[in-house]
């Protein structure tokens, strides 16, 4: 019994304890052949050793992502029956590479057709190659597209189908993986005797069957591997992201070193963080390969360890995300298309970042979402969705007008201004700043923007509050939103800015666009007294040395707001939720469906409802933003829902969802806030109701 076979049986038996890497296996088994070709006295052998990718944990320590042992099925190309026939297209390329001076091979496409007439499968194999040719006296580059046809012979096809049945995957999928893997041979990144992974994370039984019956499955081998596991499935999937096999481009870029680390460089079949935290902190999470230089005898028995650099486990990440708050936020927006964010107002620590619909990252390798799905489950709407904000923008405008001493004391709203309407209250009415915010009067803000602040004044304050720019949260693919300005319009259309456009911006409508995270951040600045924090998701990293470190932080910006003026805004936002005529009073006051929020929870909420039109036949965007408790703000929140209909107001759907999240806010975020006993009683009732007793 060979060393590998014993080891493989051990892995199969004690899979949970032993983690032997694919690479280790490659080197010992495959390169073993390679070494046997050498003369007997070759004495030095280099071996790579592997360690696991770092785990990701929630603030409370719960594991959100970790590596667990798994099995891949691989094909060793030159051990497959009739392998020269199967591998012909790649071999041809391999020869070409030497003969024709191919500079680069890209974009390998494999199309596997049905069974061919002569048995086996018909596979068409295309690739783009850049050839270096002599034209005249100059060396020029020319690009050519090559296609080859291969018929997989009957014997190889029979084995392929047997394995496909075992791993419950179509044989065509296995073939496609195989040819894509073979293309790396053409690039010189892999030898023909090295296994190409064709089926990932297969079940234990399938792996055991192939491992114990090598004669039945010639050319196929089992490779031990690490599988990324997300035990809470879709919980926080957008913030966490997912891992995927490294692409050819990434491999090309990082096969020598990754961010300067040779030990973290990529080999074919390695996994890389594709989105979310998995991508943003990929370098930290990624383990460092170890290397052993051994002196071996003719039978490859180790005589002496010349050098041993141990592999290093990737750093573990501790997120600010709170599992309970995240669950509450996800449950609230379940069934809607939208996003919900809960943030510590003073620090910018994100307690929940929910985007709906969600996906299960465990399923992604096998079941990638339908790219034509209009609900785009992979999209993290909290940072990638860009929406008009609607009247919540008035908060920024009101603060700007107060700070610049340009807020009109009172205006008369007649329901229209420059052809732009206000239909949010009865007219005519004299409205001051407080009333204009509470009743969401448009005319007050049309006039403030046009006659007092001016568009440049409005834009200045929107910029100060972080609109139209990325928040700098440690996630990839964040979108900046869009803040329209006269300078932009002149540059893009060669046209001047009109007063009517100032009206549109004044009430937060198109073309102004924001992300929900930008909104949560500016609301946090209103809550915390005027500091624009940088939202963050990672509390600490713990490296292999066990020492925790904190990711670098940008200092927050102080907006220098006058406390007395900001207090006026706080009071209005309180009245929105708790006073007669407030647009969110229905959600927070007593009704048939629920009790009065302040009486139930012992504290009050400050908020602003908002509805934005997306134009065309598309439905409205409903927002509810705010902070709590009103008197001593701890958390800022944002709920955004994409509606299919146009006649839905932000208060109708988003505000009650925000209430649901706040009702479930754990007591640890409300320390010192009066009303603890009330909340505990409420939570007991809630638990009884939800358990159905
Ligand atoms: Zn009005």
């Amino acid at each position: 019994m060979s060393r590998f076979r014993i080891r493989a049986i051990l892995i199969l038996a004690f899979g949970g304890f032993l983690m032997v890497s694919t690479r280790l296996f490659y080197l010992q088994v495959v390169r073993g052949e390679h070494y046997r070709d050498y003369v007997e006295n070759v004495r030095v052998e280099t071996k790579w050793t592997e360690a696991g990718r770092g785990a990701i944990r929630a603030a409370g320590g719960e594991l959100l992502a970790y590596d667990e042992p798994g099995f891949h099925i691989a094909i060793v190309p030159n051990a497959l029956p009739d392998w020269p026939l199967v591998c012909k297209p790649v071999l041809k390329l391999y020869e070409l590479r030497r003969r024709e001076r191919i500079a680069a091979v890209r974009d390998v496409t494999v199309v596997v057709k049905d069974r061919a007439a002569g048995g086996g499968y018909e596979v068409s194999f295309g690739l783009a190659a850049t050839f270096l040719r002599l034209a005249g006296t100059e060396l020029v580059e020319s690009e050519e597209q090559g296609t080859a046809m291969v018929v997989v012979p009957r014997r190889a096809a029979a084995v392929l189908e047997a394995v496909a049945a075992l791993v419950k995957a179509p044989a065509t999928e296995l073939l496609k993986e195989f040819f894509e893997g073979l293309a790396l041979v053409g690039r010189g990144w892999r030898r023909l005797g090295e296994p190409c992974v064709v089926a990932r994370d297969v079940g234990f039984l399938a792996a055991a069957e192939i491992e114990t019956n090598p004669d039945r499955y010639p050319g196929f081998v089992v490779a031990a591997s690490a599988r990324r596991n997300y035990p809470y499935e879709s919980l926080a999937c957008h913030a966490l992201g997912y891992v995927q096999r490294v692409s050819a481009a990434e491999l090309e870029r990082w096969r020598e070193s990754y961010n300067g680390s040779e030990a973290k460089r990529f080999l074919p079949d390695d996994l890389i963080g594709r989105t979310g935290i998995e991508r943003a902190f990929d370098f930290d999470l990624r383990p460092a390969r170890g290397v052993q230089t051994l002196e071996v005898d003719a039978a490859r028995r180790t005589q002496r360890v010349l050098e041993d650099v141990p592999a290093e486990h990737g750093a573990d990440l501790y997120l600010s995300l709170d599992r309970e708050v995240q669950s509450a936020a996800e449950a609230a927006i379940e069934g809607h298309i939208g996003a919900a964010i809960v943030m510590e107002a003073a620090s910018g620590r994100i307690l929940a970042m929910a985007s709906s619909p969600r996906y299960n990252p465990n399923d992604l390798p096998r079941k990638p979402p339908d790219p034509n799905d209009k609900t785009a489950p992979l999209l993290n709407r909290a940072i990638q969705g860009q929406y008009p904000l609607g009247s919540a923008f008035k908060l920024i405008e009101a603060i700007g007008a107060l700070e610049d001493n340009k807020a009109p004391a009172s205006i008369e709203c007649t329901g229209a201004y420059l052809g732009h309407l206000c239909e949010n209250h009865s007219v005519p009415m004299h409205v001051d700043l407080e009333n204009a915010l509470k009743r969401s009067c448009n005319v007050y803000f049309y006039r403030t923007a046009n006659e007092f602040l001016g568009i440049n004044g409005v834009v200045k304050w929107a910029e100060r509050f972080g609109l139209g720019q990325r928040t700098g949260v440690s996630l990839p693919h964040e979108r900046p939103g869009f803040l329209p300005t006269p300078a932009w319009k002149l540059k893009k259309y060669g046209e001047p800015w009109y007063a009517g456009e100032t009206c549109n911006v004044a009430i937060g409508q198109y073309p102004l666009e924001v992300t929900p995270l930008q909104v949560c951040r500016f609301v946090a600045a209103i809550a915390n007294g005027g500091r624009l924090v940088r939202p963050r998701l990672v509390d600490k990293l713990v490296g292999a040395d066990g020492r925790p470190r904190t990711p670098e932080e940008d200092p927050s910006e102080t907006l220098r707001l006058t406390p007395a003026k900001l207090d006026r805004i706080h009071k209005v936002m309180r009245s929105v939720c708790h006073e007669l005529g407030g647009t969110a009073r229905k959600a927070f006051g007593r009704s048939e469906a629920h009790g009065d929020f302040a009486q139930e929870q012992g504290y009050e909420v400050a908020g602003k409802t908002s509805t934005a039109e997306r134009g065309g036949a598309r439905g409205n965007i409903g927002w509810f933003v705010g902070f709590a408790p009103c008197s001593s703000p701890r958390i800022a929140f944002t709920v955004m829902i994409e509606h299919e209909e146009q006649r839905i107001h932000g208060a109708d759907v988003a505000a009650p969802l925000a209430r649901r999240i706040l009702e479930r806010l754990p007591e640890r975020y409300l320390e010192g806030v009066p009303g603890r006993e009330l909340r505990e009683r409420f939570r007991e009732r809630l638990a009884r109701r939800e358990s159905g007793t």
Side-chain angles (χ1 to χ4, degrees):
M1 206 177 246
S2 75
R3 242 169 67 209
F4 169 69
R5 194 137 303 255
I6 294 164
R7 162 169 278 151
I9 290 165
L10 280 173
I11 298 164
L12 293 172
F14 306 105
F17 303 102
L18 269 186
M19 284 266 300
V20 177
S21 77
T22 320
R23 221 71 52 194
L24 194 56
F25 157 59
Y26 285 0
L27 287 160
Q28 293 191 337
V29 181
V30 182
R31 292 186 68 182
E33 253 175 38
H34 171 76
Y35 286 115
R36 274 197 288 280
D37 294 339
Y38 280 79
V39 285
E40 261 186 22
N41 312 3
V42 170
R43 287 278 177 259
V44 177
E45 188 175 309
T46 305
K47 251 176 26 177
W48 286 313
T49 56
E50 308 266 340
R53 187 176 174 86
I56 305 176
R57 291 173 187 270
E62 301 95 333
L63 271 172
L64 301 178
Y66 65 94
D67 273 9
E68 63 177 13
F71 305 101
H72 294 336
I73 304 298
I75 295 178
V76 179
N78 58 11
L80 208 60
D82 304 321
W83 69 271
L85 287 173
V86 185
C87 305
K88 209 162 90 186
V90 170
L91 294 177
K92 209 169 151 192
L93 172 68
Y94 205 36
E95 285 161 20
L96 277 177
R97 192 181 166 83
R98 288 191 217 112
R99 217 175 55 215
E100 299 272 336
R101 313 188 63 176
I102 295 175
V105 178
R106 295 175 315 279
D107 306 329
V108 175
T109 50
V110 179
V111 181
V112 184
K113 292 184 192 131
D114 274 337
R115 305 293 300 256
Y121 289 87
E122 217 173 79
V123 183
S124 110
F125 187 81
L127 50 92
T130 306
F131 296 90
L132 290 176
R133 291 230 175 100
L134 282 170
T137 56
E138 256 176 300
L139 196 66
V140 294
E141 276 193 17
S142 73
E143 249 178 60
E144 279 179 29
Q145 180 87 26
T147 310
M149 194 75 106
V150 58
V151 174
V152 179
R154 215 184 283 271
R155 269 174 62 211
V159 185
L160 186 77
E161 271 162 39
V163 173
L166 266 182
V167 302
K168 298 185 181 72
T172 50
E173 204 174 284
L174 267 53
L175 259 188
K176 185 175 154 63
E177 290 276 346
F178 176 55
F179 279 104
E180 284 176 359
L182 267 183
L184 298 175
V185 178
R187 290 180 165 196
W189 295 352
R190 184 185 251 157
R191 271 179 291 273
L192 260 176
E194 284 184 314
C196 296
V197 173
V198 293
R200 271 149 231 289
D201 301 323
V202 301
F204 175 84
L205 291 176
E209 163 71 16
I210 291 171
E211 189 51 49
T212 47
N213 298 291
D215 302 339
R216 230 178 275 168
Y217 308 100
F220 283 81
V221 291
V222 174
S225 77
R227 194 179 85 93
R228 200 65 169 163
N229 188 23
Y230 302 88
Y232 290 95
E233 302 194 327
S234 65
L235 185 92
C237 57
H238 296 98
L240 289 174
Y242 53 90
V243 295
Q244 262 181 350
R245 189 165 37 137
V246 70
S247 73
E250 287 158 340
L251 191 57
E252 185 157 30
R253 193 164 156 207
W254 291 314
R255 57 198 281 258
E256 304 297 334
S257 78
Y258 185 35
N259 283 2
S261 164
E262 217 179 294
K264 295 196 177 192
R265 72 192 181 279
F266 283 88
L267 296 176
D269 295 321
D270 276 358
L271 297 175
I272 187 170
R274 189 60 71 213
T275 63
I277 290 287
E278 292 275 26
R279 179 176 183 123
F281 291 86
D282 186 68
F283 182 78
D284 301 286
L285 288 163
R286 188 166 167 74
R289 260 189 195 93
V291 63
Q292 279 186 331
T293 312
L294 307 170
E295 211 173 71
V296 295
D297 63 13
R300 300 185 62 237
R301 283 178 300 230
T302 303
Q303 298 298 302
R304 208 150 62 96
V305 179
L306 299 176
E307 199 194 6
D308 188 1
V309 182
E312 219 171 71
H313 199 272
D316 288 344
L317 254 58
Y318 288 75
L319 304 187
S320 61
L321 286 185
D322 183 296
R323 191 182 59 80
E324 285 179 68
V325 185
Q326 180 73 26
S327 296
E330 289 182 0
I333 60 171
E334 178 86 50
H336 295 281
I337 296 177
I341 303 168
V342 181
M343 184 192 282
E344 271 185 1
S347 63
R349 287 179 76 239
I350 297 170
L351 306 180
M353 176 184 274
S355 179
S356 180
R358 303 192 302 275
Y359 62 89
N360 182 348
N362 295 313
D363 292 344
L364 273 189
R366 281 163 186 276
K367 281 186 270 173
D370 177 3
N372 298 318
D373 185 346
K374 281 195 186 120
T375 67
L378 287 182
L379 188 74
N380 182 357
R381 290 175 157 81
I383 60 162
Q384 293 173 283
Q386 303 185 109
Y387 311 92
L389 174 57
S391 56
F393 184 74
K394 292 169 182 170
L395 292 169
I396 290 177
E397 208 182 330
I399 291 170
L402 285 173
E403 289 296 330
D404 288 352
N405 296 314
K406 286 176 177 171
S410 174
I411 60 122
E412 191 189 20
C413 176
T414 56
Y417 174 81
L418 299 176
H420 290 251
L421 302 180
C422 173
E423 295 171 320
N424 297 340
H425 56 85
S426 57
V427 288
M429 185 187 276
H430 281 277
V431 286
D432 58 10
L433 180 128
E434 273 81 0
N435 247 318
L437 277 175
K438 187 176 159 190
R439 295 174 186 278
S440 217
C441 174
N442 291 345
V443 170
Y444 184 92
F445 289 98
Y446 295 151
R447 289 190 56 183
T448 302
N450 265 308
E451 298 168 24
F452 299 92
L453 267 178
I455 181 63
N456 288 326
V458 174
V459 165
K460 176 186 80 182
W461 281 100
E463 275 173 351
R464 282 192 187 171
F465 274 98
L467 301 195
Q469 53 201 280
R470 293 178 180 87
T471 65
V473 69
S474 50
L475 287 176
H477 317 304
E478 185 185 15
R479 305 283 298 272
F482 179 67
L483 193 55
T485 63
W488 157 80
K489 197 186 170 197
L490 193 67
K491 196 175 162 206
K492 172 136 195 200
Y493 298 105
E495 285 174 20
W497 185 267
Y498 298 116
E501 289 167 308
T502 302
C503 289
N504 284 342
V505 173
I507 59 166
Q509 299 293 354
Y510 184 83
L512 177 108
E513 281 188 332
V514 296
T515 65
L517 187 60
Q518 281 173 3
V519 176
C520 202
R521 182 195 196 197
F522 93 66
V523 174
I526 294 174
N528 69 24
R531 272 184 315 103
L532 195 66
V533 292
R534 176 175 169 184
R536 60 188 173 92
L537 273 167
V538 177
D539 280 345
K540 62 177 177 183
L541 292 94
V542 181
D545 58 4
R547 267 198 300 259
R549 62 188 172 88
T550 319
E552 269 178 52
E553 253 182 80
D554 282 1
S556 51
E557 276 169 63
T558 301
L559 301 176
R560 293 179 209 287
L561 305 182
T562 316
K565 290 173 179 172
L566 198 57
D567 195 46
R568 286 175 67 182
I569 304 296
H570 281 211
K571 285 203 170 83
V572 182
M573 290 176 74
R574 181 200 156 275
S575 73
V576 164
C577 299
H578 298 288
E579 278 179 19
L580 275 177
T583 48
R585 157 102 170 162
K586 217 166 90 185
F588 287 90
R590 181 182 295 283
S591 81
E592 274 177 32
H594 50 69
D596 182 80
F597 184 91
Q599 278 173 19
E600 270 182 4
Q601 305 292 322
Y603 66 87
E604 292 183 320
V605 178
K608 179 82 189 82
T609 61
S610 198
T611 310
E613 291 160 13
R614 277 190 292 180
R618 294 195 296 171
N620 282 346
I621 303 293
W623 296 87
F624 186 66
V625 308
F627 57 87
C630 185
S631 53
S632 58
R634 301 288 174 85
I635 60 132
F637 59 83
T638 295
V639 175
M640 181 282 302
I641 302 293
E642 295 179 28
H643 294 294
E644 279 174 27
E645 301 98 283
Q646 297 191 328
R647 278 283 151 205
I648 290 187
H649 193 267
D652 299 336
V653 177
L657 298 182
R659 174 175 177 153
R660 278 190 55 170
I661 298 171
L662 290 174
E663 284 172 349
R664 287 157 178 80
L665 193 68
E667 197 58 34
R668 55 185 165 275
Y669 299 108
L670 295 168
E671 254 170 51
V673 174
R676 185 184 181 129
E677 296 85 44
L678 290 172
R679 292 191 290 278
E680 274 166 4
R681 275 209 297 280
F682 177 83
R683 281 186 206 111
E684 274 169 35
R685 287 204 303 278
L686 197 66
R688 274 203 302 277
R689 204 163 69 217
E690 283 172 359
S691 67
T693 54

